């Protein structure tokens, strides 16, 4: 009997020991998680404070050295507004960590656990030293792809659209593109293969003054359209080419031209006066962004929506041979050209 009681006591003591061990592990796990959260909140608070001070420093530098870039009446407000603007991601993260910090205070009843100590604050200079560590050429690429309208490609596309296409193509007084193309067809007894202005956007960005193709013959241009622009009565012309190889037994004509801003960019890259390594490194990014932004502008504006056919393509085939523009037009008519999705794979 005494032996049975001893065994029962031993079993009970073993059970208590196991429960005590589990309780101890659970306690230390909760403590470890709590300390991790407190440390994370302290680190974020330290980084945020360092960022605030860095932005304040930049405000002072901006005001002292670059005040001429601002109007006197709202100089201080504009500098502060620009300096202390946060993106959506940063705002959400800061709010989330604030909520976590308040939650920890409500649980522990002590705010000291989430407030940065001097041990954390003395590391703020590390943030100032390494804050640009994440910048790289890839950062430029992502910046170009963003929809802010400040990059080289978006600027060229906007100028091309607002200063040329939006003016010369829509119908005003029976002088729009479709009217002039119809008049050209009636006067010359011909047919346009594409009832739009075809704009070529090759990846090497160069388009000759006269399109080079064994399949294309230069014809008379469309009727010139004159528009008063900034005090100058400017002529707007569109070239016409004849496809000398019949398609389905018929000869077609095309109102076609290269994207002149891309040619200007090509010239800028060849000049020591304007070329930078960033332009050369990211020229494909600029080429693609130009096409995408121009297409967006053309399709969004009702007056130009059905007036332009953008053809973006690689200047050379897989064997390095120059692409024939005439063949490109034929393929485009037969819906065999590669899409922008294929080009960006």
């Amino acid at each position: 009997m005494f032996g049975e009681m001893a065994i029962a006591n031993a079993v009970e003591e073993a059970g208590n020991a196991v429960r005590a061990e589990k309780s101890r592990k659970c306690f230390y796990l909760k403590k470890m998680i709590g300390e991790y959260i407190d440390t994370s909140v302290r680190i974020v608070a330290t980084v945020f404070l360092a960022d605030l001070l860095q932005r304040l420093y930049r405000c002072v530098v901006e005001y002292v050295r670059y005040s001429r870039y601002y109007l006197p009446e709202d100089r201080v407000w504009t500098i502060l507004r620009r300096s202390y603007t946060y993106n959506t991601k940063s705002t959400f993260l800061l709010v989330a960590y604030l909520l976590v910090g308040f939650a920890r205070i409500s649980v522990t009843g002590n705010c000291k656990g989430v407030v940065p100590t001097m041990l954390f604050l003395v590391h703020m200079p590390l943030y100032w030293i390494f804050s640009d560590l994440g910048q790289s050429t890839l950062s430029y690429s992502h910046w170009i792809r963003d929809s802010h309208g400040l990059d080289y490609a978006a600027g060229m596309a906007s100028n091309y659209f607002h200063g040329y296409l939006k003016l010369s193509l829509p119908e005003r007084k029976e002088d729009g593109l479709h009217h002039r193309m119809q008049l050209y067809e009636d006067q010359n007894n011909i047919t346009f293969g594409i009832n739009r202005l075809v704009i070529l956007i090759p990846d090497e960005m160069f388009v000759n003054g006269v399109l080079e193709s064994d399949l294309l013959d230069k014809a008379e241009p469309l009727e010139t359209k004159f528009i008063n622009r900034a005090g100058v009565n400017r002529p707007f012309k569109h070239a016409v080419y004849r496809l000398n190889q019949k398609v389905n037994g018929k000869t077609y004509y095309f109102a076609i031209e290269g994207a002149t801003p891309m040619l200007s960019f090509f010239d800028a890259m060849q000049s020591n006066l304007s070329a930078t390594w960033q332009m050369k490194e990211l020229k494909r990014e600029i080429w693609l962004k130009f096409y995408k932004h121009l297409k967006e502008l053309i399709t969004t504006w009702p007056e130009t929506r059905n007036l332009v056919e953008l053809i973006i393509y690689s200047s050379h085939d897989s064997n390095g041979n120059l692409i024939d523009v005439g063949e490109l037009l034929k393929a485009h008519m037969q819906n065999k050209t590669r899409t922008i999705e294929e080009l960006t794979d």
Side-chain angles (χ1 to χ4, degrees):
M1 180 177 180
F2 290 105
E4 292 177 355
M5 291 179 61
I7 292 173
N9 290 335
V11 171
E12 184 177 356
E13 288 177 2
N16 291 335
V18 170
R19 285 191 291 272
E21 181 66 18
K22 288 183 178 179
S23 178
R24 186 178 64 83
K25 289 182 178 180
C26 185
F27 170 77
Y28 281 114
L29 179 62
K30 289 181 179 179
K31 182 180 179 183
M32 183 176 65
I33 293 175
E35 289 177 350
Y36 174 80
I37 294 174
D38 291 345
T39 303
S40 298
V41 173
R42 282 177 167 179
I43 292 173
V44 171
T46 304
V47 170
F48 181 62
L49 180 59
D51 182 71
L52 283 176
L53 294 176
Q54 185 181 62
R55 289 172 185 253
L56 179 61
Y57 167 75
R58 288 175 176 173
C59 283
V60 174
V61 172
E62 191 75 6
Y63 185 84
V64 173
R65 297 187 57 185
Y66 305 106
S67 59
R68 65 184 180 279
Y69 290 93
Y70 303 90
L71 296 174
E73 56 269 21
D74 61 352
R75 180 179 298 146
V76 175
W77 164 245
T78 303
I79 292 175
L80 288 172
R81 176 172 53 81
R82 290 181 179 179
S83 181
Y84 286 98
T85 299
Y86 291 88
N87 59 37
T88 305
K89 178 183 176 182
S90 299
T91 303
F92 278 122
L93 286 175
L94 288 173
V95 171
Y97 269 95
L98 278 174
L99 294 176
V100 171
F102 285 128
R104 285 296 297 166
I105 293 173
S106 65
V107 170
T108 62
N110 184 6
C111 65
K112 293 182 179 180
V114 296
V115 175
T117 62
M118 186 57 64
L119 182 64
F120 287 86
L121 296 179
V122 293
H123 291 91
M124 285 197 298
L126 292 177
Y127 174 83
W128 301 330
I129 294 171
F130 294 107
S131 58
D132 295 330
L133 193 62
Q135 294 295 320
S136 65
T137 305
L138 190 60
S139 304
Y140 290 127
S141 299
H142 288 292
W143 186 78
I144 290 173
R145 295 170 197 167
D146 286 342
S147 299
H148 43 65
L150 299 176
D151 59 278
Y152 205 126
M156 288 192 296
S158 295
N159 289 337
Y160 189 47
F161 176 75
H162 292 290
Y164 173 54
L165 299 177
K166 186 181 171 185
L167 298 174
S168 63
L169 302 184
E171 198 71 39
R172 297 287 184 262
K173 299 177 181 178
E174 296 188 347
D175 59 355
L177 177 69
H178 281 166
H179 178 81
R180 285 178 286 155
M181 291 180 73
Q182 184 62 54
L183 184 65
Y184 192 97
E185 287 181 330
D186 295 341
Q187 290 177 345
N188 298 279
N189 194 27
I190 59 95
T191 302
F192 281 102
I194 299 175
N195 196 32
R196 300 180 180 189
L197 175 64
V198 178
I199 298 179
L200 303 175
I201 310 177
D203 63 348
E204 70 177 9
M205 306 174 195
F206 179 81
V207 177
N208 222 329
V210 177
L211 298 182
E212 296 178 344
S213 171
D214 294 334
L215 301 181
L216 293 178
D217 298 324
K218 189 170 177 60
E220 290 297 317
L222 294 180
E223 180 184 351
T224 302
K225 181 176 182 178
F226 290 89
I227 299 176
N228 191 294
R229 188 71 170 166
V232 179
N233 199 31
R234 299 185 182 276
F236 290 82
K237 300 180 179 181
H238 304 298
V240 176
Y241 285 81
R242 182 176 69 91
L243 187 65
N244 57 37
Q245 189 177 95
K246 292 186 177 181
V247 177
N248 297 326
K250 196 168 186 178
T251 300
Y252 289 101
Y253 286 67
F254 298 89
I256 184 171
E257 60 190 57
T260 51
M262 286 283 92
L263 181 59
S264 298
F265 181 68
F266 175 85
D267 292 336
M269 286 194 297
Q270 311 308 312
S271 172
N272 292 330
L273 295 174
S274 54
T276 63
W277 70 265
Q278 291 93 337
M279 291 166 60
K280 295 178 180 179
E281 174 70 23
L282 300 173
K283 62 181 180 181
R284 187 174 177 86
E285 293 280 349
I286 293 172
W287 169 63
L288 291 171
K289 178 64 177 289
F290 173 83
Y291 165 79
K292 291 180 179 179
H293 192 63
L294 182 60
K295 183 179 181 180
E296 181 183 0
L297 292 172
I298 290 169
T299 54
T300 302
W301 188 249
E303 289 186 318
T304 57
R305 190 171 293 150
N306 300 312
L307 296 178
V308 180
E309 190 77 15
L310 299 178
I311 299 182
I312 183 171
Y313 62 98
S314 298
S315 301
H316 299 84
D317 61 22
S318 57
N319 296 320
N321 300 316
L322 194 65
I323 293 292
D324 189 293
V325 177
E327 293 287 355
L328 190 70
L329 286 172
K330 284 179 57 182
H332 192 78
M333 289 181 65
Q334 299 166 355
N335 296 319
K336 291 182 180 178
T337 48
R338 288 190 296 170
T339 64
I340 185 63
E341 286 76 18
E342 292 173 327
L343 285 166
T344 53
D345 283 344

